[in-house]
Amino acid sequence: MNFNPITIRDIAKALGISVSTVSKALRDSYEISDKTKKLVNDYAEQNNYRPNPIAQSLKKGHSKSIGIVVSTIENQFFSQVINGIESVAYQAGFNVIITQTHESYEMELKNVEQLTHHALDGLLISLSTETKDVSHLKHLHQQGLPIVFFDRITNEIETHKVIADNFKGGYDATRQLLNAGYKKIAHITSPPNISITSERFAGYEHALKEVGMDIPSAYIKHCAHGGRDMSEIENALNELLSLKDKPDAIFTTSDRITTTTLYLLTKMGIKIPDDIALVGYTNTTLADVLNPPLTSVYQPAFEMGRKAAEMLLSLILSKHPVTEFETITLPTQLFVRRSTLPKKAL
Amino acid sequence: MNFNPITIRDIAKALGISVSTVSKALRDSYEISDKTKKLVNDYAEQNNYRPNPIAQSLKKGHSKSIGIVVSTIENQFFSQVINGIESVAYQAGFNVIITQTHESYEMELKNVEQLTHHALDGLLISLSTETKDVSHLKHLHQQGLPIVFFDRITNEIETHKVIADNFKGGYDATRQLLNAGYKKIAHITSPPNISITSERFAGYEHALKEVGMDIPSAYIKHCAHGGRDMSEIENALNELLSLKDKPDAIFTTSDRITTTTLYLLTKMGIKIPDDIALVGYTNTTLADVLNPPLTSVYQPAFEMGRKAAEMLLSLILSKHPVTEFETITLPTQLFVRRSTLPKKAL
DNA sequence: TTGAAAGCGATACCAC
DNA sequence: GTGGTATCGCTTTCAA
């Protein structure tokens, strides 16, 4: 199948003028007479002429498009981030190419590989849970590809980064449970190698230490793929529930882990918060109508996307090499709902 | 900022051979000796050579990328469709560029405009709720751009299409309410101009007619932007609830309308299903843990994406103009949950 | 087996 | 004001 749009050369031929004149006329150059401009523009319009962006990209050395790598767009957190990115990119006339890793390191490699090298002006990335080695990105970064990290970042690469205040998110969630009278707080989270895990864990730990409590290591459960597979969470839950000293509350990180935990507990017939309280990270708009309404840590996802995109565009558009980088930390919000009802109220 | 990856010319110069030899060696042409191939490939590997896809696209006349236009990826239905599309496109080595209309006709125009013309090998689109005129797409289609419609289609353009069985979805949902003993069934839906609205309405109507019931027009509410703005649904609900003859059940279409209706009814203190039963279209994985668990029409979104992408690729890859088109209809599934509990059980 | 050169579409420098 | 031409990086005849 082909698709043969008209080119600048067709216009030149049809009008009996040169291609350079046509090109300049279309770009409204001061060198071209109004008469010629009108002639060219009218013809272009009538024949539905559109410049071929590929040729423009090749010539200009940039593609006006940026790549995004996230684990999965089905996660509302990421779709909201993408909306934020898009809102900025669109304004600036940039295209956005989205790829998903589904939490696989291999997919991350492939996607980055596929996206990069001149077809992209910059990259926005949140690492997969499997990612431990970032040399694929280091390489590109050294070659000069502008990269901005968001959410799951690495400190092996010096560039702009945008994160939520993960420490505070973890702290607030845990503190809320403690204030509500829960004392045995388990934590189901992503693998320790990704940044958000350790930051949130630090907040959790700090809240517990603050009230002089220990963290029994049996209460910490890592899901290798951030809850991608339900079995990960099922196992964690089964282990927690078969402990002699069962937890009376759970703090979950990530949308997927949170909602799946809610689902599984419900299915097991465990009452929330009566049997076990639950607080989790989630950006779903449905937190209020869940059963029970879910106490949750909300991240400013849209804003994170906006900021990340703005920083990336500033790198792309900068005339000089950028050597000063910053890491923006956005506040999280704790929404208290029934899933962490104070113990005495039960 | 720039980013200067090595080119085929650099390799040629470094090795003292011609660019055409390098090009052929890299593509493993039979014309080139093994020795030269090895030389070139080793050098390329060591210097991290990557072909510039823009130059390749310009030369070959295609970009190996397809565009997707949906209303919003925050809707799980669409993110699942996109996952399906991606799974097929990725296998075939195609990039996917996603854009969102946010239910605006103007955005649809802009996105399509931005996406098309040679930077794209094909387009997958679900129309915005505002779209009445599809001449922007007709144009492109006439010029030869392969297009496949999914979900919200138009019959003004002859090409492949993939939809869910919207009639049956509407019928099943309504029938379920009738079977459960509800008799006054309201319908909150998208504007009548989009295909899914009328198809689902027809199913609803058929189920009611079947049992000899009338459809009071006051029970049918259209949300101009498919529930994008909460106020649309709030108004619809207020009007329904102030009717002298209040409905005892509501059938909603679209994820957004469904979940927002649930949210608003809850906020108004209306008990579901006691005061009003609810059945809605939604692809959220959370239907089971909503309060109450929601009877819902589930669409095979991933499958829809797969099929649409396959059809698009077949158009793109076809050597001959395609003149026979088909419309695939995928089955929907009704999941019965507590929100439509039989009246007698209440 | 290798290389020269044309060409994909648009841009921009330099002549005229 | 207008036109010729080299160029972006790669592919592909066609000659050698």
Side-chain angles (χ1 to χ4, degrees):
Chain A
M1 256 318 327
N2 47 343
F3 175 40
N4 267 323
I6 75 166
T7 73
I8 215 173
R9 221 198 291 306
D10 297 326
I11 301 182
K13 217 166 288 170
L15 264 34
I17 58 182
S18 79
V19 288
S20 38
T21 304
V22 175
S23 172
K24 287 174 193 159
L26 289 168
R27 328 196 69 240
D28 200 26
S29 160
Y30 64 95
E31 308 173 76
I32 305 296
S33 72
D34 287 350
K35 196 169 47 170
T36 309
K37 279 184 191 167
K38 184 160 167 32
L39 196 67
V40 171
N41 283 308
D42 286 355
Y43 187 88
E45 177 130 2
Q46 276 157 37
N47 293 275
N48 206 19
Y49 168 78
R50 294 285 179 290
N52 178 334
I54 294 187
Q56 286 178 317
S57 295
L58 180 60
K59 182 66 190 170
K60 298 194 190 148
H62 61 243
S63 60
K64 282 274 192 179
S65 62
I66 62 184
I68 304 182
V69 180
V70 296
S71 60
T72 166
I73 59 171
E74 234 188 291
N75 181 322
Q76 300 230 3
F77 168 72
F78 288 115
S79 55
Q80 289 163 16
V81 170
I82 290 169
N83 279 344
I85 293 170
E86 200 207 31
S87 71
V88 170
Y90 188 82
Q91 281 299 323
F94 278 72
N95 249 324
V96 153
I97 303 179
I98 302 168
T99 65
Q100 309 182 64
T101 63
H102 298 289
E103 305 293 8
S104 146
Y105 173 63
E106 202 187 326
M107 284 287 283
E108 183 176 302
L109 284 181
K110 282 197 188 153
N111 288 344
V112 169
E113 161 86 286
Q114 186 195 16
L115 280 176
T116 48
H117 192 81
H118 252 200
L120 268 199
D121 294 341
L123 184 66
L124 289 166
I125 182 168
S126 170
L127 300 170
S128 93
T129 49
E130 280 182 6
T131 304
K132 288 170 179 143
D133 179 2
V134 293
S135 47
H136 53 308
L137 298 168
K138 265 191 194 153
H139 238 96
L140 289 164
H141 189 239
Q142 277 161 12
Q143 280 183 73
L145 179 72
I147 301 182
V148 171
F149 289 90
F150 64 93
D151 182 48
R152 302 154 176 198
I153 64 177
T154 174
N155 45 36
E156 290 186 44
I157 296 177
E158 261 207 77
T159 182
H160 292 320
K161 292 159 197 172
V162 192
I163 53 175
D165 192 339
N166 289 305
F167 177 87
K168 184 148 183 304
Y171 175 81
D172 287 350
T174 312
R175 190 72 224 189
Q176 162 64 20
L177 287 170
L178 291 168
N179 290 346
Y182 298 93
K183 300 213 177 326
K184 295 180 287 181
I185 304 176
H187 185 33
I188 308 182
T189 185
S190 297
N193 54 292
I194 63 174
S195 60
I196 53 174
T197 302
S198 50
E199 294 164 16
R200 292 172 192 176
F201 176 76
Y204 161 81
E205 192 176 29
H206 185 71
L208 293 177
K209 290 244 169 96
E210 224 176 36
V211 297
M213 285 178 53
D214 271 354
I215 305 117
S217 64
Y219 278 9
I220 315 296
K221 296 291 173 191
H222 296 284
C223 298
H225 295 98
R228 181 189 67 188
D229 311 317
M230 194 181 286
S231 58
E232 300 178 335
I233 302 173
E234 211 158 4
N235 293 341
L237 240 28
N238 283 333
E239 287 171 26
L240 287 173
L241 295 174
S242 58
L243 252 33
K244 58 214 153 300
D245 196 19
K246 265 188 263 211
D248 59 4
I250 302 179
F251 164 40
T252 54
T253 59
S254 101
D255 259 86
R256 193 59 180 266
I257 296 179
T258 300
T259 53
T260 306
T261 297
L262 174 59
Y263 172 78
L264 289 172
L265 289 177
T266 304
K267 220 181 78 178
M268 291 170 176
I270 291 170
K271 296 232 171 342
I272 306 168
D274 313 62
D275 300 334
I276 290 192
L278 180 61
V279 51
Y281 264 78
T282 180
N283 266 44
T284 179
T285 46
L286 260 28
D288 265 314
V289 286
L290 291 173
N291 185 19
L294 193 68
T295 296
S296 57
V297 180
Y298 173 85
Q299 302 183 80
F302 188 88
E303 188 59 19
M304 185 179 290
R306 285 193 61 86
K307 285 273 184 259
E310 280 166 8
M311 290 172 123
L312 183 64
L313 289 180
S314 84
L315 290 179
I316 293 173
L317 270 20
S318 164
K319 301 292 178 205
H320 326 287
V322 179
T323 53
E324 299 262 304
F325 299 107
E326 77 182 302
T327 296
I328 296 183
T329 303
L330 267 21
T332 57
Q333 260 180 292
L334 181 74
F335 288 97
V336 178
R337 300 195 182 87
R338 234 183 64 83
S339 71
T340 59
L341 201 66
K343 264 207 150 169
K344 49 180 177 278
L346 289 176
Chain B
M1 257 320 326
N2 45 348
F3 172 41
N4 266 321
I6 76 166
T7 72
I8 216 172
R9 225 202 284 311
D10 298 326
I11 301 182
K13 216 167 287 168
L15 264 33
I17 56 180
S18 79
V19 289
S20 39
T21 303
V22 174
S23 173
K24 288 174 194 161
L26 289 168
R27 328 198 69 239
D28 199 26
S29 159
Y30 64 95
E31 310 172 74
I32 305 296
S33 71
D34 288 350
K35 197 169 48 174
T36 309
K37 278 185 191 167
K38 184 161 169 32
L39 197 67
V40 171
N41 283 306
D42 286 356
Y43 186 89
E45 177 129 4
Q46 277 157 37
N47 293 274
N48 206 21
Y49 168 79
R50 295 285 178 289
N52 179 335
I54 294 186
Q56 286 178 318
S57 297
L58 180 59
K59 182 64 191 174
K60 298 196 192 146
H62 60 243
S63 61
K64 284 271 190 180
S65 62
I66 62 184
I68 304 182
V69 179
V70 296
S71 60
T72 167
I73 59 170
E74 234 188 292
N75 181 322
Q76 300 229 7
F77 169 71
F78 288 116
S79 55
Q80 289 163 15
V81 171
I82 291 170
N83 280 345
I85 292 170
E86 200 208 29
S87 72
V88 170
Y90 188 83
Q91 282 298 323
F94 278 71
N95 249 323
V96 152
I97 303 179
I98 302 167
T99 65
Q100 309 182 63
T101 63
H102 298 289
E103 305 294 7
S104 147
Y105 174 62
E106 202 186 327
M107 284 287 284
E108 183 176 302
L109 283 182
K110 282 194 186 157
N111 288 346
V112 169
E113 162 87 89
Q114 187 196 15
L115 281 175
T116 47
H117 193 80
H118 251 204
L120 268 199
D121 294 341
L123 185 66
L124 289 166
I125 183 167
S126 170
L127 300 170
S128 94
T129 49
E130 280 183 6
T131 303
K132 286 167 183 147
D133 178 2
V134 294
S135 49
H136 53 308
L137 297 169
K138 265 191 194 152
H139 238 95
L140 289 164
H141 190 240
Q142 276 160 14
Q143 281 184 72
L145 179 73
I147 301 182
V148 171
F149 288 90
F150 64 93
D151 182 49
R152 302 154 175 197
I153 65 177
T154 173
N155 44 35
E156 291 186 43
I157 297 177
E158 260 206 79
T159 181
H160 291 321
K161 293 161 197 171
V162 192
I163 54 175
D165 192 339
N166 289 303
F167 177 87
K168 183 147 184 304
Y171 176 81
D172 287 348
T174 312
R175 191 72 225 189
Q176 163 63 18
L177 287 169
L178 292 168
N179 289 348
Y182 298 93
K183 300 213 177 321
K184 296 181 284 182
I185 304 175
H187 185 32
I188 308 182
T189 186
S190 297
N193 55 293
I194 62 174
S195 59
I196 53 175
T197 303
S198 51
E199 293 165 15
R200 291 172 192 175
F201 176 77
Y204 160 82
E205 191 178 30
H206 185 72
L208 293 177
K209 291 243 169 97
E210 224 176 37
V211 296
M213 285 176 56
D214 270 353
I215 304 118
S217 64
Y219 277 9
I220 315 295
K221 297 291 174 191
H222 295 284
C223 298
H225 295 98
R228 181 188 69 188
D229 312 318
M230 194 180 288
S231 58
E232 300 178 336
I233 301 173
E234 212 159 2
N235 293 341
L237 240 27
N238 283 333
E239 286 171 25
L240 287 175
L241 294 174
S242 58
L243 251 34
K244 58 211 155 301
D245 196 18
K246 265 188 268 217
D248 60 4
I250 302 179
F251 164 40
T252 55
T253 58
S254 99
D255 258 87
R256 194 58 179 267
I257 296 178
T258 300
T259 54
T260 306
T261 297
L262 175 58
Y263 173 79
L264 289 172
L265 289 177
T266 303
K267 222 181 76 179
M268 292 170 173
I270 291 170
K271 297 233 173 337
I272 306 169
D274 312 62
D275 301 334
I276 291 192
L278 180 62
V279 51
Y281 264 79
T282 180
N283 266 44
T284 180
T285 47
L286 260 27
D288 266 313
V289 286
L290 292 172
N291 185 18
L294 193 68
T295 296
S296 57
V297 180
Y298 173 86
Q299 302 184 80
F302 188 88
E303 188 59 19
M304 186 180 289
R306 285 192 59 87
K307 285 274 185 259
E310 280 166 8
M311 288 171 124
L312 184 64
L313 289 180
S314 84
L315 290 179
I316 293 173
L317 271 18
S318 164
K319 300 295 178 203
H320 324 285
V322 179
T323 52
E324 297 263 302
F325 299 107
E326 76 182 304
T327 296
I328 296 183
T329 302
L330 267 19
T332 58
Q333 260 180 292
L334 180 74
F335 288 96
V336 178
R337 300 195 182 88
R338 233 183 64 84
S339 70
T340 58
L341 202 65
K343 264 207 150 169
K344 48 180 177 275
L346 290 175

